[in-house]
Amino acid sequence: MLHRGHESTDGGGELTVPMAWLYAEYIADELLRTGDLMPPTSFEFRAGRDALALTIFLSDTEGELSGIRVVTQLETWLSLTAYDQPWQEWVRERLAELVAGAAQSGRPAPDLDLAAEAWRWLQETELLAPDLNAVPGGAPVVGEDEGPKVWTPAWQLGLPLGHLAIHLF
């Protein structure tokens, strides 16, 4: 899973191309674009794409991210991204498993490096989003931009967007 596609370099070594991660990111991007939930240039889109790409990449336990299996994996991805699932803990556990496996193999793991970087961004970045737990007080909310907002970790915003994109697909 971690080392698909190799290209030679002039120095005789090998450049490991992170095909599994790039393919997971492509699938996530296409699902979000099809759902047309937000502009592709927004941070919200990135959060959704990264959360969905992590789900796709980490759920591939057999190392066979293939175009033919995408449709058969939609139910798995839906269940992993559902509201009542411990997605954050699952991501941490799967990343730890893959890191341990990569350390034992001693080979470079560029897919895993990109997945870990996406996870780091999703955890450390906060986006301003509507406060869904706030009780509207007195004045009615007229537009989308009005109402209480709260800083939210990107993964908490991206995960439901990814889940919705799968449903809309």
Side-chain angles (χ1 to χ4, degrees):
M1 171 171 81
L2 300 178
H3 307 289
R4 297 187 203 219
H6 295 278
E7 294 179 11
S8 288
T9 61
D10 292 336
E14 288 186 354
L15 171 66
T16 306
V17 180
M19 292 305 295
W21 174 258
L22 293 174
Y23 190 58
E25 198 172 48
Y26 169 76
I27 293 168
D29 193 80
E30 287 300 311
L31 286 170
L32 283 165
R33 286 179 189 270
T34 301
D36 196 27
L37 298 170
M38 76 283 311
T41 56
S42 69
F43 284 114
E44 291 83 359
F45 185 91
R46 179 179 175 185
R49 185 193 63 218
D50 285 0
L52 200 46
L54 269 172
T55 303
I56 293 165
F57 177 75
L58 296 175
S59 67
D60 181 33
T61 57
E62 298 177 27
E64 296 183 4
L65 274 177
S66 69
I68 259 176
R69 291 188 51 223
V70 167
V71 174
T72 63
Q73 293 300 310
L74 291 175
E75 286 300 318
T76 300
W77 301 337
L78 273 174
S79 68
L80 288 168
T81 58
Y83 177 74
D84 60 346
Q85 295 302 308
W87 184 83
Q88 185 180 17
E89 290 79 21
W90 175 77
V91 168
R92 284 187 187 123
E93 290 170 9
R94 281 293 291 146
L95 278 174
E97 289 172 19
L98 293 175
V99 165
Q104 286 180 347
S105 74
R107 293 183 290 181
D111 292 300
L112 188 53
D113 293 342
L114 291 173
E117 182 57 35
W119 178 232
R120 200 169 12 266
W121 185 85
L122 284 167
Q123 290 182 100
E124 295 174 359
T125 303
E126 291 189 343
L127 303 174
L128 193 57
D131 186 357
L132 300 178
N133 295 322
V135 178
V141 176
V142 177
E144 282 183 29
D145 293 332
E146 296 181 25
K149 303 250 184 194
V150 64
W151 288 102
T152 306
W155 74 266
Q156 287 182 348
L157 185 59
L159 187 61
L161 290 173
H163 184 79
L164 183 56
I166 297 169
H167 267 295
L168 293 174
F169 185 75

